[in-house]
Amino acid sequence: MDPQKKFTDSGIEVKQLYTGEDLPLLNNEMPGSFPFTRGVQPDMYRGKLWTMRQYAGFSTAEESNKRYHYLLSQGVSGLSVAFDLPTQIGYDSDHALAEGEVGKVGVAIDSIEDMQILFNGIKLEEVSTSMTINATGFILLSLYVALAKQQGADLKKISGTIQNDILKEYAARGTYIYPPKPSMRIITDIFEWCSAEVPKWNTISISGYHIREAGSTAVQEIAFTLANGKAYVQAAQQKGLDINVFGKRLSFFFNAHNNLFEEVAKFRAARRMWAKIMKDLGATDPKAMMLRFHTQTGGSTLTAQQPLNNITRVTIQTLAAVLGGTQSLHTNGYDEALSLPTEAAARIALRTQQIVAFESGAVDTVDPLAGSYYVESLTQEVETAAWKLIEKIDAMGGSVSAIEEGFIQDEIARSAYEYQRNIENNEKIIVGVNKFQSAEQNNTPILKVDDSIRIVQAEKLRQLRSNRDHAKCDQLLQLLSDKASSGENIMPVVVEAVEAKCTLGEIADTLRELYGEYK
């Protein structure tokens, strides 16, 4: 690589100087209007700030509930739930394969009783909840709806998001259960059921975040994410669903990294591209063409070396998300390269958002970087490069085929390798890692989750199973299997099953027997 030349992390060459001659044709686009390059609201943050979320969940439902009450008291405007690995892949906490993982990377949820504890003292009608859950998303949504019904909430008013994006699990993250085709069928069942029963719920959060965490570039992140989004829309259309109805309830989830201007350009390009994709697929309602997205700052950018430097990284990433027009934001704790965030680290992460919102002036005008010779040029270059990748995926028959052929996985792996090689060659500087190192003793406090949580959860499960109507549970699980076999929508029976105290593992296993597991 020519040392005189500069490139973004996606390999786009950065010129020394940008002038008016570099500006693409801008067509005098306005925020709140197609193709939404400049934002989905005409007034953006002058009308309403983004939702400030803090992703939290660890140990037991009791411990996570305490953290949620703390975060709400500190000014978060939405909850974001992390689940442990057994919950994510459909195993109860007392299952043999759950050993060593219960409550570790998120909260353990086995049944309606755990859900009651998790949201104890929190009115679901008054809070927006995002749940990072995919393979078992349909079960967690059913548990949430069952709890809302117990609270007497109006289901037409409850709002939030389930991630529910299984395609990126096959491509980048790995917490899948069933093969792609039955998984896609469950997702379209959720779309259909929610549009009638919980119309304010975002039925999917199509996720570029984990694609980026696995090592993709910014260009690949939006290309693969939008291609996955297109696959979900086409699957819903094949089921006869109206794109103008379900299209309004699709949301996206992106990563924010350190290359400030490329990240802003990425968010602007993604909005423009999605508007065109939806229009081409037949959407006529502008709200169904809007790309609304949640952002999380880049976990993979955080370093275990000199961890306090991560506060600065998270600040840059926060600015990228806000200048790029996010609807919702989670900021990582500075200690997350070492452990789950402590309360103190979570507070600083939230304060970072609040300082940008109330002290920086970044929110005072819509799309403040619009018209920048560099940013407008880079937005165009990111878009052009992303379309090239989407065209390749379309030529293979779409995302499902591209994943089955290993194309997306190979592209991500190649980028991850290049990035790491550039760090090792000192072509890419990471402060405190390959330059400006210092001898240090790490005194950062660490949050530890005790292995005894599995015993606590197993005892809860034993009591639950001894206090329920077994015949009713067996009957509902059989009904679930029948409806899944016949192609009927499974959501109503899953809600009934969780209300009758069937466990997450029992429901997941019922479909495992029918669909098999993806290997």
Side-chain angles (χ1 to χ4, degrees), residues 457-470:
Q457 285 299 112
E459 178 54 27
K460 282 191 202 166
L461 280 163
R462 191 191 64 72
Q463 288 184 14
L464 173 99
R465 292 185 185 120
S466 65
N467 290 319
R468 65 181 186 179
D469 183 336
H470 285 284

Side-chain angles (χ1 to χ4, degrees), residues 24-317:
L25 191 64
L26 292 177
N27 302 325
N28 207 20
E29 289 176 6
M30 297 302 285
S33 302
F34 183 90
F36 309 106
T37 313
R38 302 197 61 194
V40 292
Q41 301 295 341
D43 57 355
M44 281 306 286
Y45 305 132
R46 283 177 73 133
K48 180 176 180 280
L49 287 174
W50 65 91
T51 303
M52 295 185 194
R53 296 187 187 279
Q54 281 307 111
Y55 183 50
F58 58 94
S59 181
T60 58
E62 288 89 345
E63 287 299 313
S64 294
N65 176 260
K66 283 180 202 164
R67 177 67 66 90
Y68 296 154
H69 279 285
Y70 172 75
L71 290 169
L72 288 166
S73 77
Q74 294 299 307
V76 299
S77 43
L79 296 174
S80 192
V81 185
F83 297 96
D84 72 358
L85 277 175
T87 304
Q88 291 182 50
I89 51 177
Y91 293 122
D92 288 332
S93 297
D94 58 359
H95 191 287
L97 291 176
E99 190 164 351
E101 292 295 344
V102 177
K104 288 291 173 71
V105 298
V107 63
I109 298 292
D110 294 318
S111 73
I112 186 72
E113 291 183 356
D114 286 328
M115 210 67 168
Q116 288 161 347
I117 296 164
L118 187 66
F119 291 101
N120 184 32
I122 298 167
K123 288 197 169 122
L124 301 192
E125 213 176 276
E126 294 172 7
V127 69
S128 158
T129 304
S130 170
M131 296 191 277
T132 305
I133 196 76
N134 298 284
T136 54
F138 69 106
I139 307 174
L140 270 299
L141 175 59
S142 298
L143 285 162
Y144 196 85
V145 166
L147 180 60
K149 283 166 73 178
Q150 285 180 2
Q151 288 187 358
D154 178 352
L155 295 188
K156 300 282 189 279
K157 288 184 184 166
I158 70 164
S159 67
T161 307
I162 40 170
Q163 193 162 98
N164 199 29
D165 173 7
I166 204 65
L167 291 177
K168 67 96 179 43
E169 294 295 332
Y170 304 116
R173 192 162 170 267
T175 63
Y176 44 72
I177 304 175
Y178 316 113
K181 286 186 177 65
S183 293
M184 292 291 277
R185 172 258 160 104
I186 293 170
I187 287 168
T188 55
D189 276 6
I190 293 168
F191 286 2
E192 181 181 50
W193 183 79
C194 284
S195 63
E197 301 298 326
V198 274
K200 283 182 78 178
W201 194 266
N202 295 321
T203 48
I204 193 166
S205 176
I206 304 154
S207 174
Y209 184 84
H210 303 99
I211 289 170
R212 191 69 178 279
E213 288 293 287
S216 84
T217 65
V219 165
Q220 288 171 331
E221 180 187 354
I222 60 167
F224 299 153
T225 306
L226 299 183
N228 287 349
K230 193 171 169 183
Y232 293 124
V233 171
Q234 288 168 323
Q237 286 179 306
Q238 282 161 15
K239 195 165 181 158
L241 304 184
D242 183 347
I243 191 169
N244 286 318
V245 176
F246 75 79
K248 294 175 193 170
R249 298 269 51 99
L250 306 176
S251 69
F252 288 79
F253 173 26
F254 290 122
N255 210 313
H257 273 223
N258 292 328
N259 192 315
L260 179 70
F261 298 108
E262 183 174 47
E263 294 300 295
V264 173
K266 174 188 81 177
F267 297 132
R268 298 174 89 249
R271 267 194 298 273
R272 190 155 74 201
M273 292 172 74
W274 185 246
K276 185 177 186 314
I277 287 168
M278 289 298 272
K279 193 173 186 181
D280 290 350
L281 289 171
T284 53
D285 187 327
K287 285 199 164 151
M289 302 178 207
M290 285 179 184
L291 182 147
R292 296 166 303 115
F293 67 99
H294 169 68
T295 311
Q296 182 173 338
T297 57
S300 62
T301 68
L302 303 180
T303 65
Q305 300 92 332
Q306 303 175 25
L308 288 173
N309 293 348
N310 294 327
I311 297 173
T312 308
R313 294 186 176 102
V314 169
T315 305
I316 293 168
Q317 295 161 11

Side-chain angles (χ1 to χ4, degrees), residues 178-179 182-183 185-186 484-485 490 510-517:
Y178 316 113
S183 293
R185 172 258 160 104
I186 293 170
S485 301
I490 63 169
T510 299
L511 296 184
R512 264 192 188 92
E513 284 170 28
L514 189 68
Y515 297 143
E517 289 189 80

